[in-house]
Amino acid sequence: MKRFWNSCIAVAVLSLPTWGQKVEVQKPDRGQILHVETALNHLTVLEMSEPVSTVAVGSPVFKVEWRENKVFIEPTEASVATNLFVWTASGRFNYELDPAGVVPQMGLRD
């Protein structure tokens, strides 16, 4: 019986990190501005369909890095917003980085 309860506790603990994470997939349109909600102490990753050549962010309060086809975004202050441009071989993509309300509801908006 003890083994059963240990298994239940292990499953519950291992499931905790997934409750606060949300993965959304959208096909980016170069003519559209996509809104991405970010939160302090949370890393947001944009995954492009091709390698990223460069990025530009409108505010120094966001730490932005890129490797291959991924862009990593992390605000360094709470409740901040700015714009972000990502260039690939096929063109420029436009994003608005918005502060998240409740962290589990963070996501990508049109």
Side-chain angles (χ1 to χ4, degrees):
M1 186 66 156
K2 184 178 177 182
R3 193 173 223 168
F4 170 76
W5 286 111
N6 285 341
S7 296
C8 291
I9 291 170
V11 168
V13 169
L14 292 174
S15 299
L16 283 176
T18 60
W19 290 343
Q21 302 200 10
K22 187 174 184 180
V23 176
E24 291 189 33
V25 177
Q26 279 194 352
K27 187 172 184 174
D29 176 359
R30 286 186 291 279
Q32 179 181 20
I33 298 173
L34 294 176
H35 290 260
V36 178
E37 295 175 338
T38 63
L40 190 62
N41 299 318
H42 287 77
L43 180 66
T44 301
V45 180
L46 301 177
E47 189 168 350
M48 312 303 286
S49 59
E50 57 190 340
V52 173
S53 56
T54 194
V55 301
V57 65
S59 172
V61 298
F62 283 86
K63 180 180 171 185
V64 178
E65 300 176 7
W66 69 96
R67 286 183 205 96
E68 299 171 5
N69 67 327
K70 294 173 185 65
V71 179
F72 306 96
I73 306 162
E74 186 176 6
T76 59
E77 295 179 16
S79 301
V80 291
T82 193
N83 58 337
L84 170 73
F85 300 104
V86 178
W87 282 270
T88 66
S90 64
R92 184 185 76 199
F93 298 92
N94 309 300
Y95 297 91
E96 183 68 28
L97 304 178
D98 299 318
V102 181
V103 171
Q105 295 174 359
M106 284 173 41
L108 192 64
R109 297 183 286 125
D110 289 332

